[in-house]
Amino acid sequence: MKKWSTVLILLALALFYFWRYRVTPGISANEISVVTDAAHPINEAYSGPLLVNFYAAWCGECLAEMNALEEASKKAPFQIIGVTDDNHERIAAIKQRFSITFPLLKLEKSIKDYGIHSIPTTFLFNSDGELVESWIGGQPWNDDAFLNNLASKLSK
């Protein structure tokens, strides 16, 4: 009996981690709809390779990587865009607090509607809007070697 309870506990833990840290498979840039003057897919407003970072104002890890994303936005071979389901006032506050120059946009739907259950979650899309790479959690966005690796993935 003890063996079965251990198996059930391990299964429950595996399911929890799968649910908590899964990334939406097969997402494309045209599926991410943002609101500016009207709702539209993100790749209609921004062309070329895109790094789309899902964040929230209440997420400590998201805020911790904002400076690195800002630094990367000045030298990366792709456009960086932050997206959130926060209200416009919170978006403006984050933009001001971290002196963000890359676009921070409001999602048309909630982050969970995109199948994202852990943030920050970031997607790298090629010029055709196809998913190249995805990450859950903060990354060393301002590290030159990391950015060069991403650039090489975009050229494949």
Side-chain angles (χ1 to χ4, degrees), residues 53-67:
N53 177 262
F54 286 77
Y55 77 95
W58 53 262
C59 170
E61 191 174 0
C62 300
L63 300 181
E65 71 176 357
M66 282 295 173
N67 288 327

Side-chain angles (χ1 to χ4, degrees), residues 111-122:
I111 288 175
K112 287 188 177 185
D113 288 337
Y114 291 95
I116 297 169
H117 300 280
S118 183
I119 54 174
T121 293
T122 308

Side-chain angles (χ1 to χ4, degrees), residues 21-69:
Y21 295 106
R22 67 190 172 119
V23 175
T24 304
I27 194 168
S28 67
N30 67 352
E31 294 175 68
I32 302 171
S33 187
V34 293
V35 178
T36 51
D37 51 344
H40 55 83
I42 201 166
N43 63 342
E44 283 184 8
Y46 300 94
S47 60
L50 300 175
L51 184 86
V52 180
N53 177 262
F54 286 77
Y55 77 95
W58 53 262
C59 170
E61 191 174 0
C62 300
L63 300 181
E65 71 176 357
M66 282 295 173
N67 288 327
L69 283 165

